[in-house]
Amino acid sequence: MSFLVVGFSLAGCSYPMEELGLFKNSGVELNFAKAFQNKELSFEVVKQTSLRTCLECHASGARAMGTAAQVLAQKTEILDVIHSGAMPPRSGGYSPLNSCEKQILETWLEDQLHSRVSTQKVGDLTACAGASAPKEKVKTDLKKLELSYANLKKEILQPKCMVCHTAERAKRTVLDEVENLHDRDLLADTAEDSILYQVTVPGMNKRFMPPQRGKTILPPLTAEELDYMKRWIEAGAPK
């Protein structure tokens, strides 16, 4: 297998996929595993597994990964960020691809690079023996989530801000701890007076985060995420 393919497989904007481990011997679980293993290798399977969390951030923009052509067109850039250590973004809470995810992506890429029509199934891959499809991620109800910096960081800042704003990577603004926000005067008594909130609302500040230009384009905060941040700030920014 070419170095290009191996390198690209490691670039899949990695994420935790423990659900792809061996299944227990219950009838229902074995049925789910069997159904997954009978799937033919396709880009849909790649999106469901190897690129699943990537697509949370890279569904649109210059680094979109929603189509096979978009993924193949980025192989050189992806190798560059792998070599630089920029990916996978551990600061965003992501983990490397597991062996099954790697082999799914590597095999699909080889098929594409050699214009082969794949007849292999997931279960034909040695690394995927006994593996099941990843479970659907349960969406957090931010309206019911306890107001705390730990939760703000986990649910909002890590996927949309921490790729850049950690002590290891940030040039100025660090968001690792709530104290960092106070040190930079990013918080005030109200959300409207807080720079942290202002820069995430279109039109409130000359800067807008996450940036919508450049190599790393992440989706803006949703209305629910902005509401959570506002309520957290006005609750006194609890840890």
Side-chain angles (χ1 to χ4, degrees):
M1 182 173 295
S2 69
F3 176 74
L4 172 64
V5 173
V6 173
F8 182 62
S9 72
L10 295 175
C13 202
S14 309
Y15 23 80
M17 298 280 286
E18 289 81 359
E19 297 90 344
L20 285 172
L22 295 178
F23 251 42
K24 299 177 181 178
N25 292 323
S26 71
V28 174
E29 289 175 331
L30 285 174
N31 285 337
F32 277 115
K34 184 176 181 180
F36 178 62
Q37 291 171 27
N38 282 335
K39 287 190 174 183
E40 290 188 358
L41 290 179
S42 65
F43 186 60
E44 289 305 312
V45 170
V46 173
K47 289 197 296 183
Q48 183 185 17
T49 56
S50 310
L51 301 180
R52 185 184 183 210
T53 303
C54 288
L55 290 169
E56 292 181 12
C57 297
H58 298 286
S60 61
R63 292 293 179 265
M65 297 183 183
T67 69
Q70 288 172 333
V71 172
L72 289 168
Q74 297 179 72
K75 54 184 180 292
T76 301
E77 291 82 358
I78 292 174
L79 279 175
D80 289 342
V81 295
I82 286 297
H83 294 156
S84 69
M87 295 289 287
R90 305 299 180 88
S91 58
Y94 299 115
S95 300
L97 296 174
N98 64 34
S99 58
C100 180
E101 294 169 327
K102 290 178 185 178
Q103 195 169 11
I104 287 173
L105 186 54
E106 290 168 356
T107 304
W108 177 80
L109 275 171
E110 281 222 323
D111 288 341
Q112 298 302 305
L113 293 173
H114 293 91
S115 300
R116 292 196 297 254
V117 177
S118 177
T119 58
Q120 292 192 82
K121 297 181 179 180
V122 172
D124 296 331
L125 306 180
T126 55
C128 297
S132 66
K135 298 176 182 177
E136 288 296 322
K137 181 180 178 181
V138 178
K139 185 177 180 180
T140 301
D141 187 346
L142 295 179
K143 291 187 180 300
K144 297 180 180 179
L145 186 65
E146 179 184 3
L147 296 173
S148 71
Y149 187 67
N151 286 334
L152 177 73
K153 182 178 176 180
K154 177 183 177 183
E155 298 294 335
I156 301 173
L157 300 184
Q158 278 192 338
K160 294 187 176 180
C161 307
M162 302 299 288
V163 171
C164 299
H165 294 285
T166 64
E168 294 79 13
R169 302 179 61 81
K171 294 180 179 179
R172 292 187 301 171
T173 306
V174 175
L175 303 177
D176 290 327
E177 307 293 339
V178 69
E179 288 79 12
N180 298 137
L181 279 68
H182 290 294
D183 291 342
R184 295 287 299 177
D185 293 324
L186 300 180
L187 299 175
D189 292 336
T190 67
E192 284 75 9
D193 292 329
S194 299
I195 296 175
L196 178 70
Y197 181 78
Q198 292 174 5
V199 297
T200 59
V201 178
M204 283 196 72
N205 193 291
K206 63 181 180 181
R207 301 185 67 188
F208 181 71
M209 295 288 170
Q212 298 304 294
R213 298 179 64 183
K215 290 186 176 181
T216 303
I217 299 178
L218 303 174
L221 272 63
T222 65
E224 291 79 9
E225 291 169 340
L226 287 171
D227 175 68
Y228 183 88
M229 181 184 289
K230 180 178 182 178
R231 289 186 289 112
W232 171 75
I233 292 172
E234 296 183 351
K239 294 184 178 183

